């Protein structure tokens, strides 16, 4: 099958060239595909009850911040290319902020503020310990089950060869 986007010289499609030029090179293709699989099931029109939009389920405040920085013309969170660009930038920010992929993915899902508050209260950056941390009488939110399982689910998709098959099907829809 065809690759989702290729960095090779033989790639002649316009969409792939645009993606290659705009997607941050530090984004791991399979990681991004795994995140898209978890977040939206490759549905570019996905929208959550909380208001997250598109393939990578970008929240409105995050979207507004990054869309301005990237200067995307007529930025649209339901445009797959725009959404992936913003999602990659946001994931890279979380990796820079937290330094560990499991924490970065948890922050992507639950919000970096929530995770930072929990890390400060628990005095640890160990995700397994953070999942179990609670303290009576404090306004620190315990980590919700979805956030507890998020990184593990992304890693499961990452190691599942069918993630790339989903991506190939998705590209066929875009053509």
């Amino acid at each position: 099958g065809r690759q989702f986007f290729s960095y090779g010289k033989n790639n002649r499609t316009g969409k792939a060239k645009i993606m290659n030029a705009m997607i941050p090179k530090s984004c791991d293709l399979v990681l991004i595909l795994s995140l898209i699989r978890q977040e939206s099931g490759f549905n570019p029109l996905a929208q959550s009850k909380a208001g997250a939009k598109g393939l990578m389920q970008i929240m409105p405040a995050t979207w507004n911040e990054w869309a301005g920085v990237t200067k995307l013309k007529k930025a649209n969170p339901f445009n797959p290319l725009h959404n992936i660009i913003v999602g990659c930038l946001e994931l890279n920010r979380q990796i820079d902020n937290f330094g560990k992929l499991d924490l970065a993915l948890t922050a992507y899902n639950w919000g970096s503020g929530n995770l930072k508050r929990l890390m400060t209260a628990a005095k640890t950056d160990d995700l397994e310990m953070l999942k179990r941390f609670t303290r009576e009488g404090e306004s620190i939110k315990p980590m919700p089950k979805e956030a507890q399982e998020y990184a593990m689910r992304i890693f499961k998709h990452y190691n599942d060869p069918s993630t790339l098959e989903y991506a190939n099907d998705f590209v066929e829809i875009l053509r």
Side-chain angles (χ1 to χ4, degrees), residues 9-161:
K9 292 178 184 172
N10 296 332
N11 195 325
R12 300 279 181 240
T13 67
K15 268 193 183 86
K17 284 182 182 176
I18 292 167
M19 286 182 162
N20 287 345
M22 297 182 81
I23 302 229
K25 298 294 186 238
S26 55
C27 281
D28 176 329
L29 170 63
V30 180
L31 178 63
I32 295 307
L33 295 173
S34 300
L35 199 145
I36 291 171
R37 182 177 179 182
Q38 179 63 37
E39 288 288 342
S40 66
F42 293 96
N43 176 3
L45 301 178
Q47 188 161 358
S48 75
K49 290 176 189 164
K53 295 176 181 175
L55 288 172
M56 295 183 73
Q57 289 294 278
I58 311 294
M59 291 297 287
T62 303
W63 176 263
N64 291 336
E65 179 183 355
W66 282 117
V69 169
T70 59
K71 297 183 173 77
L72 291 168
K73 290 184 179 165
K74 299 180 184 172
N76 176 353
F78 297 111
N79 176 305
L81 175 60
H82 296 177
N83 195 279
I84 291 169
I85 291 167
V86 170
C88 285
L89 290 167
E90 180 60 20
L91 181 59
N92 280 343
R93 174 171 41 195
Q94 299 307 338
I95 292 168
D96 289 344
N97 283 345
F98 292 95
K100 293 168 68 175
L101 187 55
D102 60 349
L103 293 176
L105 289 167
T106 302
Y108 186 95
N109 174 259
W110 190 34
S112 59
N114 290 327
L115 185 57
K116 284 178 185 172
R117 282 188 288 280
L118 186 62
M119 288 171 63
T120 300
K123 297 182 174 79
T124 185
D125 67 353
D126 181 276
L127 186 58
E128 292 309 311
M129 292 179 72
L130 290 168
K131 288 176 184 180
R132 296 188 298 269
F133 182 81
T134 56
R135 187 176 288 163
E136 293 298 318
E138 287 195 25
S139 62
I140 302 297
K141 286 197 257 183
M143 190 181 296
K145 188 166 180 60
E146 178 188 349
Q148 289 181 28
E149 297 173 352
Y150 190 77
M152 180 186 66
R153 288 181 180 185
I154 299 298
F155 295 145
K156 181 180 171 211
H157 294 323
Y158 189 92
N159 291 306
D160 180 353

